[in-house]
Amino acid sequence: MQSNDYLTIYGEQLSSRLLIGSALYPSPAVMEESISASGAQIVTVSLRRQQSAAAGDDFWQLIKNTGLKILPNTAGCHSVKEAVTLAKMCREVFATDWIKLELIGDDYNLQPDPFALLKATEILINDGFKVLPYCTDDLVLCQRLNELGCEVLMPWGAPIGTGKGLLNSYNLKTIRERLPNTTLIVDAGLGLPSHACQALELGYDAVLLNSAIAGAGCPITMSRAFKAAVEAGRFAYNAKAMPEKDLAAPSTPTMGMPFWHQQ
Amino acid sequence: MNITINGELLTIKGASLVKVLQSFGAKPPFAVAINGEFIPQSLHDSTNINDGDSIELLSPIQGG
């Protein structure tokens, strides 16, 4: 990665373009090592009802020990009120005004509710939050979120946890083209490092993923693979790809071709 | 009076939020909401619990 090629999130410059989740790992030790292997500088967390105080404290201590920036989420919220309340609780516990705003509209595919998302975003931005909305790949929704003051948008690649990759690269590409100055992060639905690479090749600034690493046979190795893929994708984007063509063009010079004879 | 904390029904005598949290064994870090409204830590000392209140006591957990 070029030394001055940073990911910018609400004015903060980061060298890693991979944001990683802290859930679903087979053990706390694997979580810790996978996060470390990814090179990520931001890790996502959440809040739930305090059950066993000791168990929750162990997790939080591990995350604090990573020294990474914390991005809390409002996962599981289905209403504006729930999401706003949970965001405020996150701000107090995690001492950050960053919030990954998740507001689910449909439980079948965990699709974000675009209407509630806009309302909650407006309330939270007016309350001083720096909102990173998890949204669908709808251009107009992204434009509205941007107009409300979101400097970062996180459209999905595919539904959470499906590992399907970028289901609609046309939509994602259009959002990139129409919002050239907004930090765009593909969040959710990635399964393979090539999916992450493709997102970066499209000009996305970063990817956020969890299941693709935590659910792999060897999460630590997969974490390294995603780190390399994100770097490769960014290099490719900066290098500007050759134009695609319909007709074949030989790469080896035809001049001086042996055995050539005029028909 | 009867209240719920994290979905558990509790019968308590008139009490402040701080006393309810102590008797529940709340361990920091946590944040509190009553009836869906966030109660900042700065207001815990001055917040009283009423009959039928529903308290949410939340702590850090893994997230994606």
Side-chain angles (χ1 to χ4, degrees):
Chain A
M1 209 74 65
Q2 293 163 19
S3 60
N4 60 349
D5 186 29
Y6 293 111
L7 166 68
T8 303
I9 296 186
Y10 286 100
E12 192 121 358
Q13 292 190 320
L14 302 139
S15 53
S16 170
R17 294 177 179 275
L18 173 56
L19 289 72
I20 194 166
S22 57
L24 302 172
Y25 295 90
S27 72
V30 171
M31 177 194 78
E32 201 175 12
E33 208 169 330
S34 300
I35 291 172
S36 171
S38 73
Q41 293 170 294
I42 296 173
V43 61
T44 53
V45 296
S46 198
L47 285 179
R48 287 293 182 267
R49 286 175 169 172
Q50 191 173 103
Q51 305 285 345
S52 157
D57 194 43
D58 286 349
F59 162 74
W60 181 226
Q61 199 52 53
L62 272 181
I63 292 295
K64 279 201 293 187
N65 290 346
T66 66
L68 302 187
K69 278 198 73 74
I70 302 296
L71 176 57
N73 71 31
T74 60
C77 288
H78 286 73
S79 71
V80 173
K81 187 176 181 188
E82 283 173 11
V84 168
T85 300
L86 192 55
K88 290 177 179 176
M89 297 172 87
C90 284
R91 179 163 63 179
E92 183 173 85
V93 169
F94 298 114
T96 177
D97 49 13
W98 286 9
I99 190 74
K100 174 183 164 179
L101 184 60
E102 284 188 58
L103 238 162
I104 299 304
D106 189 286
D107 282 328
Y108 179 75
N109 60 355
L110 298 178
Q111 180 163 338
D113 178 337
F115 311 103
L117 188 63
L118 284 171
K119 280 186 200 158
T121 297
E122 186 169 22
I123 292 167
L124 291 172
I125 284 181
N126 287 336
D127 195 19
F129 280 88
K130 290 170 175 143
V131 179
L132 293 86
Y134 166 59
C135 55
T136 49
D137 53 9
D138 183 287
L139 171 63
V140 178
L141 170 62
C142 288
Q143 287 172 322
R144 296 290 178 271
L145 288 165
N146 194 229
E147 286 160 13
L148 285 174
C150 291
E151 294 180 18
V152 180
L153 300 175
M154 304 207 295
W156 67 357
I160 296 170
T162 59
K164 288 180 179 294
L166 309 186
L167 288 183
N168 196 332
S169 56
Y170 171 81
N171 273 13
L172 292 171
K173 196 175 170 194
T174 305
I175 294 166
R176 176 70 291 171
E177 285 169 0
R178 298 289 290 145
L179 297 171
N181 301 316
T182 302
T183 296
L184 296 178
I185 299 172
V186 169
D187 177 10
L190 305 187
L192 291 168
S194 54
H195 300 153
C197 189
Q198 192 190 355
L200 273 288
E201 285 170 359
L202 283 177
Y204 274 67
D205 297 285
V207 293
L208 193 165
L209 50 96
N210 191 157
S211 309
I213 289 176
C218 180
I220 299 162
T221 305
M222 189 58 87
S223 188
R224 291 190 193 111
F226 269 99
K227 179 175 190 267
V230 166
E231 288 176 359
R234 184 63 183 179
F235 275 133
Y237 173 71
N238 285 337
K240 296 184 177 29
M242 63 162 276
E244 192 177 317
K245 299 175 204 162
D246 286 330
L247 291 177
S251 50
T252 303
T254 50
M255 184 79 81
M257 176 66 193
F259 319 120
W260 179 84
H261 59 278
Q262 204 159 15
Q263 293 285 335
Chain B
M1 61 184 169
N2 295 318
I3 63 164
T4 57
I5 180 161
N6 285 355
E8 281 181 39
L9 189 62
L10 289 182
T11 301
I12 56 166
K13 291 183 178 175
S16 69
L17 172 61
V18 171
K19 282 187 179 163
V20 171
L21 295 176
Q22 279 170 354
S23 63
F24 189 77
K27 188 179 174 191
F30 61 77
V32 174
I34 300 177
N35 303 327
E37 297 292 339
F38 169 58
I39 309 295
Q41 207 162 14
S42 59
L43 296 180
H44 287 191
D45 283 341
S46 57
T47 300
N48 287 314
I49 301 301
N50 298 307
D51 188 42
D53 277 351
S54 174
I55 301 172
E56 296 287 344
L57 169 69
L58 308 188
S59 286
I61 194 169
Q62 299 86 342

